[in-house]
Amino acid sequence: MFLQIALGTGLLVVNITIAAVAAMVLEVVFQKGHPWLLTEPHRIKLVVALAGVSLWILGIISIGLWLWAAAYVAIGAFATMEEAVYFSAVTFTTLGHGDVILPVAWRVLAGMEAANGLLNFGLLTALLFETLRLVRLGQAEVRKNGNR
C-alpha cells in the first residue's frame, strides 16, 4: 500500500503542478492580450477568450488523464493504453462506471486519481470564471469611461 500512496502522491503533485503552471501561463497570455480584449467589439472577444480558456483547460485535463494512464500501463495494471486511458478518463472525471477496474494491488490509486480530477476541475473552473469576470469588468470599465 505504501507504494500505491507514493506513486499516487507523485502523480498528484505532477498534475497539480502542471495545472498551476498552465494557469500562470494563461495569466501571462491574458495580461498581454488585455488591451485587445477591452476594445470593441466586446462580445466576440469574450467568446474568443472563453473558447480559448475552455480549450486550454481541456488540454490540461487531457495531460492529466494521459499521465495517469501511462502510469497504469507502466505498473502493469492494464494491458493496453486504450484500457488505461478509458479507466483514467472515467476515474479522473469521477464518473466511475465500474466496468473496468484496477487490480486489487493498485486500487488505492483510483481514489487518488479521482481526488486529483476533483482538484483540477475545481482549480480550472475557478480559472474559467475568473477569466470571465476580469474580462467583463474590464470591458464595463472601458464602456463607462468611454461614455463620459
Side-chain angles (χ1 to χ4, degrees):
M1 186 163 90
F2 178 74
L3 181 59
Q4 290 182 70
I5 293 171
L7 177 60
T9 300
L11 287 165
L12 278 161
V13 168
V14 169
N15 269 287
I16 292 168
T17 301
I18 288 170
V21 169
M24 183 184 67
V25 168
L26 192 60
E27 181 182 7
V28 170
V29 168
F30 269 103
Q31 285 176 346
K32 291 184 181 202
H34 193 69
W36 176 80
L37 285 168
L38 299 183
T39 59
E40 293 284 348
H42 288 157
R43 289 191 179 158
I44 189 68
K45 290 179 181 179
L46 183 62
V47 169
V48 168
L50 289 176
V53 171
S54 295
L55 290 172
W56 187 255
I57 288 170
L58 286 173
I60 296 165
I61 295 299
S62 295
I63 290 169
L65 294 174
W66 280 95
L67 285 172
W68 280 93
Y72 292 139
V73 170
I75 62 175
F78 295 110
T80 67
M81 184 57 87
E82 186 276 333
E83 191 176 31
V85 169
Y86 173 77
F87 176 82
S88 185
V90 168
T91 304
F92 200 86
T93 60
T94 68
L95 182 59
H97 282 311
D99 55 339
V100 175
I101 58 172
L102 282 171
V104 172
W106 296 105
R107 66 182 172 190
V108 170
L109 288 176
M112 295 182 84
E113 184 179 3
N116 189 176
L118 188 63
L119 287 170
N120 273 21
F121 277 107
L123 169 69
L124 298 171
T125 300
L127 178 67
L128 183 63
F129 276 94
E130 183 66 3
T131 299
L132 173 63
R133 188 182 74 79
L134 290 175
V135 170
R136 294 302 291 157
L137 283 174
Q139 289 175 345
E141 185 66 26
V142 165
R143 193 174 294 127
K144 178 178 143 188
N145 290 337
N147 291 336
R148 284 185 176 175

